Amino acid sequence: MATATLSEQRVYESAAPRYKLLLVEDDPGLQKYIASMLVDGNYAVTQCTTAAEALSKMSQSKPDLVLLDVFMPDVNGLEILRQFRAMAPTVKVLALSCLHDPRHSIEIIRLGAKDVLLKPFHKEELIASIDRCLGTTAVNTGQHIELDGNSMFVFASSRMREIRSQCALVAKVDIPVLILGESGTGKEVLAKFIHKSSPRANRVFLKVNCAAMPGDLLESELFGYEQGAFTGAVRSKPGKFELCNGGTILLDEIGEMPASLQAKLLHILQDGSFSRLGGRTTIKVDVRVLAATNIDIKNHIAQKLFREDLFYRLNGFTIQLPPLRERKEEIPVVLNYFLRRLAGEFGCQVPTLSESIAEACMSYNWPGNLRELENFVKRYLVLNDENLAIADLLGPSYTPKRSTSMAVPIDSVPSPNLGGLKNLVRGLKDEAEMEAISNALGKTRWNRKQAAVDLRISYKALLYKIKQYGIQPPQGA
Ligand SMILES: Nc1ncnc2c1ncn2[C@@H]1O[C@H](COP(=O)(O)OP(=O)(O)OP(=O)(O)O)[C@@H](O)[C@H]1O
Ligand SMILES: [Mg+2]
């Protein structure tokens, strides 16, 4: 092996390391320390101490992932990120930052980094972040984050893990977020997750569907009215913005908002002030605005149906939810979740499910996304006949391969496409592990040291798992 220099050291080289990492960190001590966390045969790490060197090494080493300290002495970190993106737009970047400021982290994500890891970090956090960026996190284990009493945010694909990280970051800063995605992809679920991850989590969350009513009704719904503002306004009534003061409002189907209301909305986004219909006084509120739409909003702007200035106001950060057909690896996890939840709601047993139903779900394209999958599960539970449910989904040309009597429990649905039994079992194991950790934390009132002792795992491992599963302490813990 060639003699390594201080600035470019091959810290690990095995016969076949799976991923090439370029570590750009100016602090030699820290560089060595980070590199030492990555000596496990999985990674070949090239190290650089300056931005200039890193940029020149890029073309030679062709890394799968760049670990970039965003505070380099020779060039501003965000500038180096811009340069990386310009030189190699497809290269993945994991930013390492010591600035615990969500706005800064959001800026880094906006510039195209896959994730931001805040210093100091543990080895487990670093590896988990690298896995997320490389998309190598085991799929089908799934994460289940509780949103309210009976709904959860469930995901398993690397793209959704990335979206979850971004949302958790954006949640901390009071900027508007625009959530785009086809119908049924989970825009409302995501909005609830953002609210729940934000400092407003204990305040009210309200949704207003901007397409569900005519303009004047929507105006009174959003902004309220004074007595006598129109025929029938016998007493004054506050609107959703007032009711939501201190909390979060989701303006759903924002693309359908009538032009007359868009100007009023723009105003409230600028300084939080508005007047009720027929009112003379100005009311000021503190409401975080999230907006969602499934239409092509840029096209709407081009057609002058949506104000461009309003779009830029709403677009503090944009999340594009992928359709289910582009994250099919999540189907087993979500299917399992819907089955358990809905069977519970319907008061029936979690049914048995055969390979054919799993295969049918994987082969179908789901134009209605997760909502359609949820409805499919409802139908399946009601019909209590899998062949009928599949024929309903795939059309009458479907010919059953096996009889329903060959059904096996959902927990053991095997299918080559699904990643098989192993992944499903792993998913269930994760659920059980998450529950055990939550119980231990509850019992010890979030005394993590004691919980780690009770669970007989190391304190570090517990911290890592709390983060991995997104377990949140109850308010006041
Ligand atoms: N990631 C998810 N985890 C769990 N449930 C989900 C997820 N995504 C969607 N769902 C479920 O699928 C259904 C549709 O989700 P949601 O209403 O959030 O979609 P949407 O994108 O807002 O749809 P639309 O554009 O039609 O309003 C809901 O019942 C929701 O609970
Ligand atoms: Mg919706």
Side-chain angles (χ1 to χ4, degrees), residues 308-413:
E308 192 169 10
D309 47 3
L310 178 58
F311 170 74
Y312 286 115
R313 272 281 165 188
L314 289 169
N315 184 15
F317 197 86
T318 302
I319 307 272
Q320 176 80 51
L321 269 173
L324 188 55
R325 62 185 169 279
E326 287 175 18
R327 42 175 161 132
K328 277 194 167 176
E329 67 269 38
E330 297 199 321
I331 289 176
V333 173
V334 181
L335 184 64
N336 197 355
Y337 160 69
F338 284 148
L339 266 167
R340 283 162 189 278
R341 200 194 83 204
L342 294 167
E345 274 174 29
F346 293 178
C348 56
Q349 280 209 320
V350 180
T352 54
L353 196 65
S354 75
E355 196 176 328
S356 348
I357 217 160
E359 275 174 5
C361 287
M362 290 304 281
S363 67
Y364 186 62
N365 229 19
W366 302 107
N369 298 294
L370 283 91
R371 178 175 292 109
E372 192 182 7
L373 179 58
E374 189 177 14
N375 288 337
F376 167 74
V377 173
K378 279 183 196 163
R379 267 199 313 278
Y380 172 61
L381 289 175
V382 171
L383 293 172
N384 199 17
D385 180 327
E386 86 173 25
N387 284 330
L388 219 59
I390 299 176
D392 210 23
L393 184 72
L394 303 182
S397 57
Y398 167 74
T399 39
K401 282 187 207 152
R402 297 170 183 80
S403 80
T404 27
S405 60
M406 287 187 67
V408 291
I410 171 69
D411 298 3
S412 57
V413 174

Side-chain angles (χ1 to χ4, degrees), residues 151-155 160 181-190 207 252-253 292-294 321 327 330 334 337-338 341 370-371 374:
S151 71
M152 285 198 168
F153 175 30
V154 180
F155 54 94
M160 288 305 291
E182 287 178 14
S183 182
T185 44
K187 296 184 292 297
E188 189 174 336
V189 167
L190 207 63
K207 177 184 96 160
D252 207 5
E253 314 222 20
T293 184
N294 54 21
L321 269 173
R327 42 175 161 132
E330 297 199 321
V334 181
Y337 160 69
F338 284 148
R341 200 194 83 204
L370 283 91
R371 178 175 292 109
E374 189 177 14

